[in-house]
Amino acid sequence: MPRSTQTRMPKSRKVATAVLSAAAMSGLLLSGISPAVSATSVVTAKDSFNRTVTTGWGTSDSGDTWSAPAGLSRANGSSGNLDIKKGQGFSNTLAGYSARTADLQVAFSLNKLPTGADTYLYVTPRKVGNNEYRAKIKVSPNGAVRIDATRIVNGAETVLQSHSAGVIAKAGATLNVKMSLSGADKTTIAAKIWASGTRAPGNQINVTDAERSLQASGTVALGGYLGSRATSPITVRYDNLVVSGAKDGAVKPPSQPNQPSADASRNSLVNGTYKPSNTTAGVVRGTALKPYNTSGADLIITKDGTVLDGLEIWGDIKVRAANVTIKNSRLHGGSSIPRSNTGIVDANDGRVKNLVVQDSTLLPQRASYYRDGIVGHDFTALRNHITQTNDGLGIFNRPGGPAAANVTVKGNYIHGLTYWSNDPAHRDGSHNDGIQVQGGENILIAGNTIVGDMVRGAGSAAPPRGLHTTTAMLLQQNVAKLKNVVVEGNHIDGGLTSVTVDSTKNKQSSLQITLKNNHFGHNQYAWDGAKYQIRVIDRSASTITGLSTNKWSDTSTPLAEGKNKGIYYTNE
């Protein structure tokens, strides 16, 4: 796949960004007692960690997949473990889960008390993009425990309430943690911590918060951090995670689009009438998958009309045929770092025609700056869940081939891309994009959720501007001129900017696209206090049909031109 040097952002003062540590991570826990669930709630996620996984945590008991930094976490058959070195922090997120959580209960134990520095443990019942509510548990070398309720928005942590728990942590002893969230337009947060085998106390934390970005459904996460002055590593062990919510389903703010039930027929979904999430994209929960190509070698498809359905597929898929369908499958990609740019599904070959990838989850077993989700031409991506790849989708016509790209992208959920500080193509770290369009004709991107947020790759330094991708969507003409390109009805947020329109004047004199009726959030990087939802490099070289019809997700009012109004022209 072609790589380009992307246009630089406006000059800004240097911004101090927290390393992924105590201020940038999520949840954790363990117990020997299964938490009780109230009669007014149902279990929406659970995990006993009764499996053996040497890298990461694998798939939870409820069927959702944990995303985890390679080599830092493992499941040993009785617990989910994090092995943490001094100054190190990371989080595991339940990537296949989204709900309006009411209660999260888990427990944790430490293999030993920390020495020389504190250990911080985090319980995150709601994580929406880069923002989250969490319980932060501090364990000191003398065993003293404190619990904080905190809010994190764009990397900035605010302590809402604190409590010195009155319990003492000991090596190998289990402490239980419960955090409850309630409310629609604002959230009441309750939390408590107690020793296993003792009676649970009343709520030790009780506070209300109205942060707009967190009044929505989200995922859960577990993580940990060990202070930089610690004299030795520490292992955190988790078990019996139970998450529950109201029986009547997720409560949605009035501004949120309709969310179909996860059990509803996917074929009944009408593109553009709902906001895709991991309940409407990816493998349907509960689907039994058959292991396929377990050697992990490249899976090269040369037979026209091949259908891969209901499979757990290992290895990067190289499509070299027409009318191939991949559906209802979980795609893990290869186990080693590719030699050059590719995707879990690579559709660059000239023989590719009418490729369909639908209702599948793309989550790489070995994330890499060379491994995107789907790349190439002549494909339809329908209702897929794509996360932890370098880019989500790479779209372009075949260099030296026909001008047409012939790509349709509908109903997908793309988020949580992997950042690499050592990307050989970029001195400032990987330039991740949810969708990168680099040229071609006949491209439709409609009714997707595209979030420009990141997780940090194993061994990578912290990104210079926090966990924002370069863009959620980049539209440019590196390979060929764009023609008949329509981007409409998508839900777009995050990134240094959410959408960048680049005429690429060194290769093309002008650019013409349709960008209409999309819904934009407010979670972009702040450049000297200014956020840019749509950034157009050159007004005079760019013709954008429908620009004035794009709206704010929360108010449904149109974006306008100007600072913090939604539309920005770089060259003015």
Side-chain angles (χ1 to χ4, degrees):
M1 175 182 126
R3 295 282 286 246
S4 64
T5 301
Q6 300 178 16
T7 306
R8 305 301 300 166
M9 294 300 301
K11 292 180 69 176
S12 67
R13 67 177 182 270
K14 188 174 182 180
V15 179
T17 303
V19 175
L20 190 63
S21 64
M25 290 164 299
S26 323
L28 101 71
L29 316 98
L30 175 121
S31 86
I33 302 173
S34 297
V37 178
S38 72
T40 58
S41 297
V42 293
V43 172
T44 53
K46 61 181 179 179
D47 204 348
S48 62
F49 298 98
N50 291 333
R51 57 190 176 274
T52 300
V53 183
T54 57
T55 301
W57 284 350
T59 301
S60 70
D61 296 347
S62 51
D64 304 308
T65 301
W66 287 100
S67 64
L72 303 175
S73 53
R74 53 194 166 84
N76 68 359
S78 60
S79 62
N81 296 353
L82 298 181
D83 300 319
I84 309 174
K85 300 177 182 178
K86 66 177 182 178
Q88 184 183 60
F90 50 91
S91 62
N92 291 356
T93 302
L94 201 56
Y97 175 85
S98 180
R100 186 74 173 231
T101 296
D103 296 292
L104 184 157
Q105 183 171 328
V106 288
F108 69 87
S109 69
L110 305 175
N111 68 323
K112 60 183 178 180
L113 289 176
T115 53
D118 299 323
T119 293
Y120 291 87
L121 314 173
Y122 304 91
V123 177
T124 299
R126 183 177 300 165
K127 181 177 175 65
V128 183
N130 290 327
N131 303 341
E132 62 186 81
Y133 287 131
R134 71 183 178 193
K136 179 170 70 172
I137 299 102
K138 174 184 175 183
V139 179
S140 298
N142 64 359
V145 176
R146 189 187 74 201
I147 183 171
D148 300 335
T150 73
R151 176 189 69 216
I152 298 175
V153 176
N154 296 327
E157 183 178 32
T158 301
V159 177
L160 302 174
Q161 197 173 90
S162 298
H163 177 78
S164 295
V167 297
I168 299 297
K170 299 178 181 179
T174 297
L175 297 180
N176 301 299
V177 182
K178 182 175 182 179
M179 195 170 196
S180 302
L181 306 178
S182 61
D185 297 329
K186 57 184 178 180
T187 298
T188 297
I189 304 165
K192 54 188 171 184
I193 184 169
W194 69 101
S196 182
T198 65
R199 183 181 297 274
N203 290 326
Q204 299 157 336
I205 296 285
N206 202 313
V207 64
T208 298
D209 184 69
E211 165 59 38
R212 179 175 57 188
S213 66
L214 287 168
Q215 311 312 310
S217 296
T219 188
V220 299
L222 313 176
Y225 171 76
L226 180 62
S228 60
R229 295 186 178 182
T231 58
S232 61
I234 201 163
T235 297
V236 182
R237 302 185 293 244
Y238 314 96
D239 195 8
N240 291 337
L241 168 68
V242 175
V243 187
S244 61
K247 285 186 177 180
D248 59 358
V251 178
K252 300 178 287 294
S255 61
Q256 291 294 317
N258 181 43
Q259 294 286 341
S261 165
D263 297 327
S265 169
R266 291 275 177 92
N267 292 329
S268 70
L269 297 177
V270 178
N271 185 258
T273 65
Y274 67 99
K275 182 179 180 180
S277 68
N278 53 11
T279 63
T280 60
V283 176
V284 176
R285 291 187 189 181
T287 301
L289 302 178
K290 179 180 178 181
Y292 189 77
N293 194 46
T294 55
S295 70
D298 285 354
L299 178 59
I300 301 174
I301 301 175
T302 58
K303 182 179 178 180
D304 291 351
T306 295
V307 177
L308 302 177
D309 186 2
L311 302 175
E312 189 103 26
I313 303 176
W314 305 89
D316 292 322
I317 301 172
K318 311 294 186 184
V319 181
R320 298 175 184 171
N323 303 313
V324 172
T325 298
I326 304 168
K327 62 181 180 179
N328 304 320
S329 296
R330 184 173 289 114
L331 314 182
H332 294 280
S335 59
S336 60
I337 297 175
R339 295 182 179 180
S340 60
N341 298 291
T342 187
I344 293 178
V345 179
D346 190 307
N348 280 304
D349 192 85
R351 289 164 284 186
V352 176
K353 301 290 181 185
N354 302 319
L355 167 66
V356 176
V357 182
Q358 72 175 67
D359 296 312
S360 293
T361 299
L362 285 74
L363 176 63
Q365 62 169 319
R366 181 70 181 271
S368 168
Y369 40 72
Y370 284 147
R371 182 171 281 120
D372 294 341
I374 307 172
V375 294
H377 56 87
D378 289 275
F379 69 82
T380 293
L382 178 64
R383 300 189 303 262
N384 299 294
H385 182 189
I386 303 173
T387 187
Q388 295 191 41
T389 54
N390 182 60
D391 287 356
L393 298 176
I395 302 171
F396 44 88
N397 63 308
R398 185 166 56 89
N406 298 328
V407 170
T408 298
V409 178
K410 290 185 175 182
N412 300 279
Y413 177 38
I414 302 171
H415 68 107
L417 306 178
T418 302
Y419 171 80
W420 301 97
S421 59
N422 58 339
D423 183 350
H426 302 289
R427 295 180 62 185
D428 56 347
S430 56
H431 289 193
N432 305 86
D433 307 299
I435 297 178
Q436 182 178 16
V437 179
Q438 297 199 65
E441 301 177 1
N442 306 329
I443 300 169
L444 173 62
I445 302 171
N448 305 278
T449 296
I450 309 155
V451 183
D453 62 351
M454 300 189 298
V455 298
R456 192 168 63 176
S460 282
R465 295 184 177 89
L467 295 174
H468 299 275
T469 61
T470 303
T471 67
M473 187 183 304
L474 177 60
L475 303 166
Q476 58 184 176
Q477 302 181 133
N478 289 319
V479 176
K481 193 172 182 63
L482 295 176
K483 183 179 179 181
N484 190 25
V485 174
V486 178
V487 179
E488 64 175 332
N490 300 284
H491 302 268
I492 308 174
D493 202 359
L496 300 180
T497 60
S498 284
V499 173
T500 294
V501 180
D502 184 359
S503 58
T504 321
K505 290 186 66 174
N506 63 318
K507 294 186 178 181
Q508 308 292 337
S509 60
S510 62
L511 174 148
Q512 294 184 356
I513 61 168
T514 296
L515 182 65
K516 65 180 183 180
N517 297 323
N518 298 287
H519 311 274
F520 286 86
H522 298 267
N523 295 304
Q524 298 74 24
Y525 178 75
W527 298 90
D528 286 332
K531 295 184 178 182
Y532 305 111
Q533 284 70 30
I534 300 175
R535 172 176 169 248
V536 182
I537 301 299
D538 190 334
R539 184 197 297 265
S540 63
S542 304
T543 301
I544 305 175
T545 301
L547 187 60
S548 63
T549 67
N550 295 286
K551 301 177 178 66
W552 297 106
S553 294
D554 52 353
T555 64
S556 295
T557 56
L559 274 60
E561 183 180 339
K563 184 176 180 179
N564 287 324
K565 294 183 178 180
I567 301 172
Y568 169 71
Y569 290 91
T570 300
N571 64 340
E572 298 181 357

